[in-house]
């Protein structure tokens, strides 16, 4: 298949691979649950005919403003501000031919200091993808106890110094409220023991990362309920896809990818055998994995280094069929 060329300007990750994976048809209905700045959406719309439909969602009001400005006049396009976790509640999202989730924080969000996502740019310690909903990172850090902070840093950032960092945050906020990204990043850097191996100036030539990288990731995931929303969004996408419809998900760290991988496996493979229950269990697969995990090629990495951690998984919804007998064990 000939690969689609990426639009100029914003570089959507694995643009060609996503369009190939979605297998866009001219009269189909597709939902982009993470519009961002519309890189993938433009590609899908470019392959739709007059009878096609494109549904766009995003929690970020700035992303929705871009969608309305650039796509609002097209009768084939519908736009809704909200989380893809609730896509099944959108009446328009029925009988979908394809669903795309491009997870994590977008490049524009990272690049704008006022959003508070980046430790490399000083700004308000916010981190909310929807700045009109929920509490900011600063508000959460001001009220959470030491154990809760440590648990978040370990669970969502796999930060091995989570307890030390949490203790430092609680001690610091007694003297100085943490309200700026630079404050938090500097505190974390000072907290790290000598010889930790992480750079205090961002990614180095040897690939070391800034000491605050994992902590910022963990706090952002917690503040935005990203993994919980992902689980709900995957369930909603499966419910709304028509048989033969495709699901494409781009993840940027192992926690997200693990959720996606396990979701596809749970709906495509019979559960493992249980020797203590020597009976047959009926299992009806609802998904079929399309290939294995896809990563950006060398040419894309040269153009867009942020693609280095991206993983794309694609699955197809299966049509109605009878259950298969999956053995749940038996005599050894």
């Amino acid at each position: 298949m000939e690969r689609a060329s990426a639009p100029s300007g914003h570089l959507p990750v694995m643009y060609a691979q996503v369009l190939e994976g979605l297998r866009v048809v001219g009269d189909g209905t597709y939902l982009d649950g993470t519009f961002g700045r519309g890189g993938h959406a433009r590609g899908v719309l470019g392959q739709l005919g007059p009878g096609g439909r494109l549904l766009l969602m995003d929690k970020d009001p700035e992303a929705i403003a871009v969608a309305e400005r650039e796509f609002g006049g097209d009768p084939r396009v519908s736009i809704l501000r909200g989380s893809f976790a609730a896509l099944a509640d959108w009446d328009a999202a029925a009988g979908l031919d394809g669903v795309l989730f491009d997870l994590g924080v977008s490049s524009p969000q990272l690049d704008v200091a006022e959003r508070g996502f980046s430790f490399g740019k000083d700004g308000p310690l916010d981190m909310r993808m929807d700045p009109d909903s929920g509490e900011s990172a600063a508000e959460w850090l001001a009220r959470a106890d030491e154990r809760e902070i440590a648990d978040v840093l370990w669970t969502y950032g796999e930060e091995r110094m989570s307890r030390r960092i949490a203790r430092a945050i609680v001690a610091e906020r007694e003297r100085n409220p943490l309200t700026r990204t630079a404050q938090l990043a500097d505190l974390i850097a000072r907290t790290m023991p000598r010889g930790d191996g992480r750079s205090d100036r961002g990614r180095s030539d040897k690939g070391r990362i800034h000491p605050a990288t994992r902590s910022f990731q963990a706090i952002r995931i917690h503040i935005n309920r990203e993994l919980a929303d992902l689980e709900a969004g995957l369930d909603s996408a499966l419910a709304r896809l028509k048989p033969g419809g495709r699901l494409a998900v781009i993840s940027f760290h192992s926690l997200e990818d693990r959720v996606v991988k396990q979701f596809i496996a749970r709906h495509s493979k019979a559960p493992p055998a249980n020797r203590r229950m020597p009976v047959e269990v009926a299992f009806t697969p609802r998904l079929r994995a399309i290939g294995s995990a896809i990563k950006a090629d060398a040419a894309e990495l040269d153009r867009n280094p942020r693609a280095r951690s991206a993983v794309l998984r694609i699955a197809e919804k299966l049509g109605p069929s009878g259950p298969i007998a999956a053995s749940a064990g038996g005599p050894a």
Side-chain angles (χ1 to χ4, degrees), residues 241-308:
L241 280 167
K242 65 171 62 171
R246 293 284 183 93
L247 171 67
V249 185
I250 303 173
S251 306
F252 286 86
H253 58 75
S254 59
L255 296 176
E256 294 171 336
D257 184 54
R258 188 179 307 142
V259 171
V260 178
K261 181 180 179 180
Q262 291 176 349
F263 175 83
I264 294 173
R266 185 164 66 250
H267 290 287
S268 61
K269 301 175 183 178
N274 185 339
R275 291 178 178 272
R276 297 181 181 180
M277 298 180 63
V279 296
E280 288 189 340
V281 176
F283 172 75
T284 302
R286 302 182 67 195
L287 286 174
R288 175 172 69 94
I290 304 299
S292 55
I294 302 169
K295 296 190 176 182
D297 58 26
E300 178 170 359
L301 292 178
D302 286 340
R303 296 190 308 268
N304 184 12
R306 284 178 177 172
R308 65 181 174 267

Side-chain angles (χ1 to χ4, degrees), residues 64-329:
I64 290 299
V66 172
E68 290 175 342
R69 183 170 64 248
E70 297 192 19
F71 296 84
D74 194 317
R76 299 171 297 172
V77 178
S78 297
I79 302 169
L80 179 68
R81 179 182 172 187
S83 169
F84 58 61
L87 75 86
D89 297 332
W90 191 7
D91 291 340
L96 298 172
D97 293 280
V99 174
L100 168 65
F101 296 155
D102 184 358
L103 305 176
V105 63
S106 69
S107 295
Q109 288 169 330
L110 281 172
D111 293 339
V112 177
E114 287 73 23
R115 300 302 299 273
F117 288 105
S118 175
F119 48 77
K121 296 179 174 66
D122 185 34
L125 191 54
D126 194 311
M127 297 196 193
R128 289 174 294 176
M129 293 181 181
D130 180 355
D132 299 326
S133 177
E135 62 182 348
S136 68
E139 290 168 338
W140 176 69
L141 287 173
R143 68 156 183 83
D145 62 30
E146 181 179 321
R147 180 172 181 177
E148 182 181 356
I149 295 171
D151 285 348
V152 165
L153 300 185
W154 172 251
T155 302
Y156 298 136
E158 299 175 320
E159 173 52 72
R160 61 182 180 272
M161 297 295 167
S162 58
R163 293 183 184 277
R164 180 191 290 244
I165 294 170
R167 189 159 53 248
I169 287 172
V170 170
E172 178 66 21
R173 75 187 184 191
E174 296 299 321
R175 299 186 293 268
N176 244 334
L178 290 165
T179 61
R180 308 287 297 182
T181 55
Q183 271 184 287
L184 180 59
D186 290 345
L187 174 64
I188 293 171
R190 295 197 310 270
T191 301
M192 290 296 176
R194 290 184 176 274
D196 178 72
R198 282 180 264 185
S199 167
D200 61 0
R201 294 181 299 277
R203 186 173 291 274
S204 71
D205 292 339
K206 296 182 180 180
R208 292 182 298 171
I209 63 173
H210 189 284
T213 300
R214 295 191 181 99
S215 295
F216 268 62
Q217 170 188 293
I219 295 168
R220 189 204 80 219
I221 290 173
H222 173 72
I223 290 297
N224 293 287
R225 301 184 69 255
E226 291 179 38
L227 296 186
D229 277 9
L230 175 57
E231 291 173 351
L234 291 170
D235 286 335
S236 295
L238 180 57
R240 289 295 193 162
L241 280 167
K242 65 171 62 171
R246 293 284 183 93
L247 171 67
V249 185
I250 303 173
S251 306
F252 286 86
H253 58 75
S254 59
L255 296 176
E256 294 171 336
D257 184 54
R258 188 179 307 142
V259 171
V260 178
K261 181 180 179 180
Q262 291 176 349
F263 175 83
I264 294 173
R266 185 164 66 250
H267 290 287
S268 61
K269 301 175 183 178
N274 185 339
R275 291 178 178 272
R276 297 181 181 180
M277 298 180 63
V279 296
E280 288 189 340
V281 176
F283 172 75
T284 302
R286 302 182 67 195
L287 286 174
R288 175 172 69 94
I290 304 299
S292 55
I294 302 169
K295 296 190 176 182
D297 58 26
E300 178 170 359
L301 292 178
D302 286 340
R303 296 190 308 268
N304 184 12
R306 284 178 177 172
R308 65 181 174 267
S309 58
V311 177
L312 170 64
R313 294 187 186 273
I314 301 166
E316 180 177 299
K317 184 172 180 177
L318 300 176
S321 60
I324 60 175
S327 174

